[in-house]
Amino acid sequence: MSITKPYDLPCIENLVGGELLAPAMGGYIENIEPATGQVYGLTPNSCQKDLNLAIEAAEKAFSLWANTPAETKAKILNKLADLIEQNQNELAKAEAVDNGKPITLAKNVDIYRAAANIRFFAQACTQFSSESHAVENTAINYTLRQPLGVVACISPWNLPLYLFTWKIAPALATGNCVIAKPSEVTPMTAYLFSKLCIEAGLPAGVLNILHGSGATIGADLVKHPKIKAISFTGGSNTGVAIKQATADQHKKLSLELGGKNPTLVFADCDFDRTVNEVARAAFANQGQICLCGSRIYIENNIYKEFTEALVKKVEELVIGDPLDETTQFGALVSKQHMHKVLSYIELAKKEGGEILTGGEQIKLEGRCSDGYFVQPTIIAGLKNNCRTNQEEIFGPVCTIQGFGSDEQALALANDSKYGLATSIWSQDISRCHRLAQQIETGIVWINCWLLRDLRTPFGGMKASGSGREGGLEAMRFFTEPKNVCVQFKD
Ligand code: NAD
């Protein structure tokens, strides 16, 4: 719901044409701290007028930026990464307040990775090259890879600055100008980032950041005829809406969507390490990472022992104020999301699930007494085809089931409309490689989870999306290949 600025709260601003601006029509959205449930600021609810100004600024900047030498682009991007590192404490605190995630996670993962993303693509732009194909004694083809023009980058709330920079950095490194829209649920670090972009000397109009709701400015942005490509991360339904809205416009689309990821635990795994990592994979960021392993399959002959150890591990998690450095498990991102998660726990009970641990909202004392906290929850006794096991919950809820053979484990893992990530835990490396080939997900981790190398293709199959981010995949997505064929003279 859009409101006009009603009272004296700090206001976030858009970045348009190198300046920080209030929204043209004065509409705002309340920004709520999930750990306290209190409104602590206002976010612009941008409109078509803001979008037109941003497009104009981006188009004006395009020729200069596209023709800026790679070394100069890299220098500016590296300066930006330096500034993120220098301001990591302020950024981590802002992320923890805005999102509800533990401040140590924000610092060591989100903000660390935001700087790493920018630095990685700063280097990539100086290393990027294109192909050449020779036809013996006859001709040579070479492929130009040119920037697309003005592109859109749209990101979700779960890893706010981390995923925002993951898209913006390759788009800028390849010479495009960008209109970026962070999630309206967690806009704060994108705003602080706007200020750092100005300080780093990014030329005016090269990156424009518009805040606001997905249904209004998000929908207008993707449909704008000047937008040549859309890099989107968010829910699968939103991905479909973007595909449909742009179907007749021939835009390039990179869609990173939802997941319902399987974790396969075999009897020969490194037991203690696997318990720790499977717990982390299920509950990091309160289970609000698209890659979290929320369907855990355990080989029957260690099912009881592993389940008991997993429950014990999860019950040891320190739940508390995200701003407390000792907190390991914070708040869910919003009241609406908390109610969605709690409704899935109720559904699981109706479907015959047994709650092994968790299952309830948590009421903390003091500052966080009105916060959106839900216990990390493990559910057993459900069939694979029930809604709890088929629909994305995107919260601190995982299910466990047993399996008797590799074939059964594979069938259970692949029995999902999603196809983002799998983790396999076994010391039989032949089995791991064989399963990795047969599993229908874009990412497979063997005896690890969330171990990232920014050069690798990142993305999902089936309802988890289309296209890949990361390394060369991202550099290629944000450029148009044009083949030039030259025949030799006889
Ligand atoms: P969401 O789809 O509601 O919103 C994502 C972004 O899209 C937000 O900025 C939102 O404002 C915008 N948006 C919403 N409707 C739009 C429209 N019609 N047109 C254009 N933009 C629109 O998703 P969310 O709730 O913010 O994030 C959670 C989802 O993101 C989960 O499904 C999660 O799995 C997914 N996710 C996927 C990945 C991945 O890499 N595959 C990573 C993180 C999160």
Side-chain angles (χ1 to χ4, degrees):
M1 190 187 60
S2 194
I3 51 171
T4 44
K5 193 181 168 188
Y7 37 89
D8 198 18
L9 280 172
C11 285
I12 282 174
E13 293 163 303
N14 289 327
L15 174 66
V16 178
E19 287 181 60
L20 295 171
L21 299 180
M25 303 299 284
Y28 286 91
I29 301 170
E30 288 182 335
N31 196 17
I32 295 168
E33 179 179 3
T36 63
Q38 304 303 312
V39 177
Y40 79 101
L42 297 176
T43 307
N45 198 10
S46 306
C47 64
Q48 190 78 45
K49 207 166 168 191
D50 300 295
L51 177 58
N52 290 341
L53 284 175
I55 296 270
E56 203 179 298
E59 283 208 299
K60 200 165 148 207
F62 177 61
S63 171
L64 179 72
W65 184 245
N67 291 302
T68 296
E71 287 76 12
T72 310
K73 288 195 194 92
K75 210 169 165 185
I76 296 171
L77 291 173
N78 275 322
K79 175 90 194 291
L80 187 52
D82 291 345
L83 288 170
I84 293 176
E85 281 161 2
Q86 285 160 24
N87 291 280
Q88 59 176 319
N89 291 334
E90 188 196 351
L91 288 164
K93 185 170 178 201
E95 206 72 292
V97 168
D98 218 23
N99 174 279
K101 66 178 64 207
I103 192 163
T104 43
L105 184 79
K107 189 165 167 180
N108 299 333
V109 177
D110 294 73
I111 306 308
Y112 165 79
R113 251 299 292 281
N117 288 341
I118 306 235
R119 217 177 277 298
F120 176 86
F121 286 105
Q123 287 168 2
C125 80
T126 65
Q127 311 290 319
F128 193 40
S129 60
S130 60
E131 310 83 16
S132 149
H133 299 89
V135 185
E136 293 78 4
N137 300 320
T138 311
I140 184 144
N141 294 275
Y142 62 89
T143 308
L144 296 172
R145 289 201 170 264
Q146 297 170 309
L148 303 171
V150 183
V151 301
C153 295
I154 303 178
S155 56
W157 49 256
N158 64 321
L159 302 166
L161 193 61
Y162 175 147
L163 292 178
F164 198 54
T165 51
W166 181 231
K167 300 180 172 304
I168 290 170
L172 296 180
T174 43
N176 299 282
C177 289
V178 176
I179 315 288
K181 197 201 89 58
S183 170
E184 63 275 34
V185 184
T186 52
M188 186 51 89
T189 48
Y191 171 57
L192 299 176
F193 178 72
S194 306
K195 296 185 182 181
L196 300 182
C197 289
I198 296 172
E199 197 179 335
L202 195 64
V206 168
L207 172 64
N208 304 275
I209 299 179
L210 294 182
H211 295 272
S213 90
T216 53
I217 191 63
D220 288 345
L221 172 58
V222 296
K223 281 186 292 198
H224 198 290
K226 300 280 187 190
I227 294 292
K228 299 284 189 289
I230 301 160
S231 173
F232 170 79
T233 299
S236 295
N237 291 341
T238 316
V240 171
I242 291 174
K243 263 190 188 171
Q244 287 170 343
T246 59
D248 60 353
Q249 289 184 311
H250 311 291
K251 295 175 195 278
K252 274 182 117 174
L253 297 182
S254 166
L255 302 174
E256 301 299 335
L257 309 177
K260 187 80 181 175
N261 307 302
T263 299
L264 304 182
V265 180
F266 288 87
D268 64 355
C269 68
D270 176 345
F271 192 91
D272 292 341
R273 183 169 170 268
T274 305
V275 169
N276 290 343
E277 289 298 291
V278 169
R280 189 172 74 87
F283 295 110
N285 204 36
Q286 297 76 248
Q288 302 167 129
I289 300 181
C290 55
L291 306 161
C292 277
S294 55
R295 293 184 289 139
I296 303 173
Y297 301 103
I298 305 165
E299 195 166 1
N300 287 335
N301 45 356
I302 58 160
Y303 181 88
K304 188 169 177 295
E305 192 189 353
F306 192 88
T307 302
E308 281 168 8
L310 185 65
V311 167
K312 184 167 176 287
K313 180 78 204 164
V314 169
E315 288 177 348
E316 285 165 7
L317 281 171
V318 179
I319 304 171
D321 186 341
L323 296 183
D324 183 336
E325 302 247 334
T326 61
T327 293
Q328 296 171 319
F329 186 95
L332 299 196
V333 76
S334 67
K335 193 177 200 172
Q336 188 193 17
H337 191 57
M338 176 180 74
H339 286 303
K340 177 187 155 186
V341 170
L342 291 170
S343 76
Y344 269 103
I345 296 173
E346 287 313 305
L347 174 72
K349 289 184 201 160
K350 283 196 196 112
E351 290 182 322
E354 181 195 354
I355 310 288
L356 300 185
T357 186
E360 305 288 338
Q361 186 181 346
I362 309 169
K363 285 275 171 206
L364 295 180
E365 299 206 331
R367 193 184 92 86
C368 297
S369 59
D370 292 324
Y372 313 136
F373 295 84
V374 173
Q375 291 174 323
T377 301
I378 303 179
I379 305 170
L382 290 168
K383 294 219 164 62
N384 212 52
N385 62 3
C386 70
R387 281 183 55 203
T388 308
N389 272 326
Q390 292 295 326
E391 296 176 14
E392 186 187 41
I393 301 173
F394 209 55
V397 179
C398 70
T399 63
I400 53 168
Q401 291 175 74
F403 67 82
S405 65
D406 290 21
E407 291 67 33
Q408 197 189 358
L410 180 68
L412 288 164
N414 283 343
D415 175 26
S416 170
K417 71 172 181 174
Y418 293 105
L420 188 54
T422 306
S423 70
I424 305 174
W425 302 86
S426 166
Q427 301 203 48
D428 178 345
I429 201 66
S430 299
R431 159 197 283 153
C432 294
H433 286 302
R434 195 169 50 245
L435 287 171
Q437 289 200 8
Q438 295 171 329
I439 269 166
E440 295 165 359
T441 57
I443 299 159
V444 180
W445 278 295
I446 297 175
N447 295 320
C448 57
W449 178 75
L450 206 56
L451 185 59
R452 293 282 292 121
D453 177 333
L454 304 191
R455 295 168 300 178
T456 59
F458 179 89
M461 298 178 178
K462 304 197 272 188
S464 292
S466 49
R468 293 291 183 273
E469 299 188 295
L472 276 179
E473 301 280 344
M475 300 295 279
R476 289 188 173 143
F477 174 75
F478 283 114
T479 50
E480 189 73 50
K482 184 192 288 171
N483 193 67
V484 181
C485 177
V486 186
Q487 187 173 13
F488 300 158
K489 220 171 160 190
D490 288 336

